[in-house]
Amino acid sequence: MLSFFALVRKSKGNPDALPSRVNEITGKLPDFHIVHQTPNVCVLMTDPEEKGTFVYRLSGGTGLILGTLFHKDEALTNHAPLAIDEKTTNAILDTRCQYIIEKYWGMYAAIVGKEDGTEQFILRDPTGVLPVYIYETPDLYLFFSDGEHFRSLHLGQLSLDPHSAILGLQLPLLHLPGTCLREIDKVMPGELFAISRDKTERFMLWKPRDFFVKDGNYTTEKAAAELRTTVLKCTHAWASHFDKICVRASGGLDSSIILSCTALAPHRPEVIAVTHYTEGNVDSDEREFARAAAQHANAHLIEVRDSADDIDMKDLHDFAFLPEFYKDRFMIGRARYQKRLADEHGIDAFFGGEPGDTIFYTRPSYTAIDYLYHKGLNGGFFKACYEEALISKRPIGAILLEAAASTIRTPSWCLSKKFEGYTGLFAEDLLHETSIDAALAPWEQCQEGSTISKKEQLAFTFIWLPYAKPSRRCDYVRMVEPLMSQPVLEAVCRIPSYLFAYNGEDRGLARLAFLDIGHPTNMLRKSKGGPEDFYKSVWSQNVDFIREAMLDGLLVKHGLLDRKKVENAFSLALDQSLGVWGEVFNLVGNEFWARRWLKT
């Protein structure tokens, strides 16, 4: 992953603080070198080992953009020039970086300043793929992307913010303001952090509500064509940077779409696919479908056998954690096989189909209400009610009444309501002191003006956290999720929600859009096996290690988890539902996160 430091001197700060801190960074981290410097700003970065990462320089030494940048035009695949001309630079400065949001897309962080030094802008791209964290000292603002490199500087003791931490544990995949540490803040996806001589300001430059449209003429054919074209072009844009791509092929709809789209990239990269299976577990064995998808895409398939014997919980000590919690049961052992595959096959990047479930709107609801909003009451309304009833398994009469009531009073939808009454293993006293509504308020404001179904779709799209990486052991291999591209997100905002329920099928619009690209069997299948049995095997073989780590861990000691609840979770029989013991399993990584960050 791209690692950088950007230092901005405060107007009243010690003038010697900036060069002193730069010398400290280069002394402790010799791989970092200066790529941009003015009297008030200095940017340092490592030479990125992963392909497709660049430095885009603005004219006149006014700043730079780090990462991967594409022109946001009809082609979508045009790479931005590494040297940005004076006219474009002036447009970026005059609009306080809004021009970047409107004209470009990709994975990036922009560090831009006015020539007279009166203002400095830090912009994080709307998808949030590249982290941008903030550490403030009396003299400087220090921005960084890699938590491990920051920790290596040993700038001071870090302390847990219990209220932010409990939110991070409750909502671990959601972009929340701040981090779990009092001393470290972050720039949100699509947010501009502006620094002037006497103050700092923050603005959300990318807001989903800017792309909502009320369009009664939006047809199924138009929506399918827009979705298809946008996903294809974004996948091809990312693929253009790599010669050999490995696609994670789960056998499901979303990964099959990405595999087929990648294989059709104009420069024809070599594409291989990898699928995982557990020996003897017929219900979760997806190899038949992965083989069909790989054969259809003319891609070589690698089948990886998952075994609990291959999982070493001590790997948790080697994870390169960010300054915020990360929940992913796949992270244990993932780094080892990814590195092995990359080394053995010369892989430049791993592609995946996340978060296709929400981008393509799995199990859509309130779509009849969305139809009324866009097209009003007509014959098609009853078809929309019927399609929603097929997917939701609810009586069509109830959907008709619900939609009719919406014409009198618009129903409300709030993400925080989904977590009402949920206490999990957390300390309830701390839960009562914490407001999910307050944490989600900035996000909710960005959705104003959307329909209830569109809010739901986008809520669960942005819950997915794209930038966390499994381990420092495979940093040089790029992890790409083409569906999390900015143009795809904007297309999803534009397309009315009821169209995603096409033909009364789960992800029906996606099936229509990509039917002739992907393997027909995979495009039409409605269910897929899961890895729950594999998790149970890992749990049973490591339960003693997990019990010791959790009951004597920092999450309990800091009062985030209720020790009695954790003890009860271990007392449950293994054959019970994934819910309780699975939650403990997810929290193990966060326990080692706390040990890594709070014992510096």
Side-chain angles (χ1 to χ4, degrees):
M1 184 183 74
L2 170 65
S3 184
F4 73 89
F5 289 103
L7 296 84
V8 180
R9 186 174 73 87
K10 294 181 178 180
S11 59
K12 297 180 181 179
N14 184 349
D16 297 328
L18 181 61
S20 175
R21 187 68 74 190
V22 170
N23 290 336
E24 180 182 3
I25 293 173
T26 55
K28 292 181 178 179
L29 301 169
D31 289 340
F32 279 82
H33 58 273
I34 297 172
V35 292
H36 174 70
Q37 190 169 27
T38 70
N40 298 310
V41 180
C42 186
V43 181
L44 306 94
M45 64 178 290
T46 58
D47 289 324
E49 295 178 327
E50 58 185 19
K51 288 189 176 183
T53 301
F54 307 99
V55 177
Y56 304 85
R57 297 185 181 277
L58 278 65
S59 67
T62 53
L64 70 176
I65 302 173
L66 306 175
T68 309
L69 213 58
F70 302 102
H71 277 294
K72 191 179 174 185
D73 55 14
E74 288 299 319
L76 289 179
T77 58
N78 293 338
H79 300 163
L82 296 182
I84 298 176
D85 61 34
E86 182 178 0
K87 180 180 178 181
T88 303
T89 296
N90 290 336
I92 291 173
L93 292 172
D94 291 344
T95 61
R96 306 183 91 195
C97 295
Q98 185 71 48
Y99 187 89
I100 298 176
I101 295 287
E102 294 176 353
K103 300 297 182 180
Y104 299 101
W105 69 278
M107 181 279 293
Y108 61 86
I111 302 100
V112 180
K114 292 188 176 180
E115 291 185 44
D116 59 7
T118 56
E119 280 190 301
Q120 189 70 36
F121 306 117
I122 312 295
L123 173 66
R124 184 179 176 191
D125 91 74
T127 66
V129 176
L130 181 64
V132 181
Y133 296 106
I134 311 167
Y135 181 80
E136 184 178 353
T137 74
D139 302 302
L140 298 168
Y141 293 99
L142 175 62
F143 300 86
F144 63 94
S145 60
D146 189 296
E148 293 298 317
H149 282 143
F150 172 82
R151 284 181 71 257
S152 300
L153 299 179
H154 301 291
L155 297 183
Q157 185 66 38
L158 300 173
S159 58
L160 195 72
D161 180 343
H163 294 95
S164 295
I166 200 71
L167 284 170
L169 291 174
Q170 280 184 284
L171 314 170
L173 303 187
L174 185 65
H175 284 294
L176 297 172
T179 69
C180 301
L181 302 169
R182 287 190 177 95
E183 295 78 11
I184 299 178
D185 197 358
K186 74 179 178 187
V187 181
M188 293 287 284
E191 184 180 43
L192 180 75
F193 191 94
I195 305 169
S196 61
R197 293 187 185 277
D198 57 349
K199 63 180 179 180
T200 62
E201 296 178 285
R202 307 178 76 144
F203 308 94
M204 290 302 298
L205 297 191
W206 189 89
K207 300 178 286 293
R209 69 185 182 204
D210 293 340
F211 305 96
F212 299 145
V213 293
K214 184 175 182 180
D215 187 355
N217 296 317
Y218 226 123
T219 64
T220 299
E221 292 73 22
K222 177 183 176 181
E226 182 173 357
L227 193 64
R228 172 194 176 106
T229 300
T230 307
V231 171
L232 270 170
K233 288 182 176 179
C234 288
T235 304
H236 293 172
W238 286 117
S240 66
H241 285 300
F242 311 108
D243 298 318
K244 195 164 189 178
I245 300 168
C246 180
V247 179
R248 302 190 303 273
S250 67
L253 174 68
D254 312 320
S255 63
S256 296
I257 288 173
I258 294 302
L259 177 57
S260 298
C261 290
T262 304
L264 293 173
H267 79 294
R268 289 293 188 266
E270 183 179 353
V271 180
I272 64 175
V274 60
T275 190
H276 292 253
Y277 70 97
T278 304
E279 196 69 51
N281 186 358
V282 178
D283 292 337
S284 63
D285 193 337
E286 291 288 300
R287 283 179 289 174
E288 174 188 351
F289 300 100
R291 289 166 184 165
Q295 183 178 10
H296 185 78
N298 196 28
H300 172 63
L301 178 67
I302 300 172
E303 299 177 0
V304 178
R305 176 181 172 271
D306 283 331
S307 171
D309 296 332
D310 298 329
I311 299 298
D312 186 353
M313 298 298 285
K314 293 179 181 178
D315 281 350
L316 286 166
H317 294 282
D318 188 49
F319 277 73
F321 290 106
L322 302 167
E324 53 193 320
F325 288 141
Y326 174 39
K327 172 183 175 183
D328 184 2
R329 278 172 283 166
F330 287 101
M331 69 183 184
I332 304 172
R334 175 189 288 178
R336 186 180 290 114
Y337 85 76
Q338 287 191 162
K339 185 179 189 306
R340 185 180 72 245
L341 287 179
D343 291 342
E344 291 179 359
H345 298 276
I347 294 169
D348 299 322
F350 287 94
F351 280 25
E354 296 284 357
D357 283 353
T358 51
I359 288 289
F360 298 140
Y361 206 1
T362 299
R363 292 181 294 278
S365 53
Y366 310 111
T367 51
I369 295 175
D370 189 69
Y371 183 95
L372 280 179
Y373 172 81
H374 285 279
K375 307 198 74 165
L377 183 60
N378 56 33
F381 167 67
F382 299 99
K383 180 176 181 291
C385 291
Y386 176 67
E387 290 178 333
E388 183 181 332
L390 287 176
I391 294 175
S392 66
K393 308 295 191 240
R394 295 171 59 205
I396 190 171
I399 293 172
L400 283 165
L401 290 174
E402 183 179 68
S406 72
T407 62
I408 302 172
R409 182 179 179 182
T410 303
S412 61
W413 191 94
C414 181
L415 182 57
S416 63
K417 291 181 179 179
K418 296 292 180 180
F419 303 94
E420 284 182 353
Y422 173 68
T423 60
L425 305 178
F426 310 125
E428 295 193 30
D429 290 345
L430 189 55
L431 285 176
H432 295 324
E433 298 173 4
T434 306
S435 172
I436 293 179
D437 284 320
L440 297 178
W443 184 91
E444 296 284 356
Q445 292 168 6
C446 289
Q447 317 305 311
E448 291 174 355
S450 65
T451 62
I452 183 172
S453 56
K454 184 58 66 178
K455 285 181 179 178
E456 180 185 65
Q457 181 183 15
L458 294 179
F460 294 106
T461 293
F462 291 106
I463 276 180
W464 189 69
L465 192 64
Y467 57 72
K469 54 181 180 172
S471 169
R472 193 168 291 286
R473 284 187 249 180
C474 55
D475 272 3
Y476 60 91
V477 184
R478 189 69 172 273
M479 309 294 175
V480 179
E481 304 292 348
L483 294 179
M484 276 301 291
S485 299
Q486 182 182 339
V488 175
L489 297 178
E490 292 172 1
V492 168
C493 289
R494 285 191 295 268
I495 297 173
S497 298
Y498 71 89
L499 291 172
F500 287 90
Y502 170 73
N503 207 31
E505 294 183 335
D506 180 58
R507 291 173 288 178
L509 187 66
R511 299 179 195 279
L512 175 66
F514 298 99
L515 182 59
D516 64 331
I517 293 179
H519 189 278
T521 300
N522 291 6
M523 291 298 102
L524 296 175
R525 66 185 301 223
K526 303 297 194 302
S527 61
K528 187 163 72 77
E532 283 74 15
D533 288 341
F534 171 64
Y535 295 150
K536 288 183 179 180
S537 299
V538 176
W539 169 272
S540 61
Q541 291 195 27
N542 294 277
V543 65
D544 292 336
F545 174 90
I546 298 172
R547 180 188 291 110
E548 181 181 356
M550 298 304 297
L551 292 179
D552 298 326
L554 291 181
L555 298 183
V556 169
K557 290 180 180 178
H558 280 274
L560 299 178
L561 299 184
D562 185 311
R563 197 177 199 279
K564 289 185 177 180
K565 290 183 179 180
V566 178
E567 287 177 340
N568 291 336
F570 283 102
S571 68
L572 293 176
L574 184 61
D575 59 358
Q576 292 196 18
S577 69
L578 182 65
V580 178
W581 67 264
E583 184 174 1
V584 178
F585 197 32
N586 287 331
L587 290 170
V588 175
N590 293 327
E591 171 60 36
F592 282 86
W593 175 95
R595 297 182 186 192
R596 195 172 186 89
W597 278 96
L598 301 179
K599 290 188 176 181
T600 56

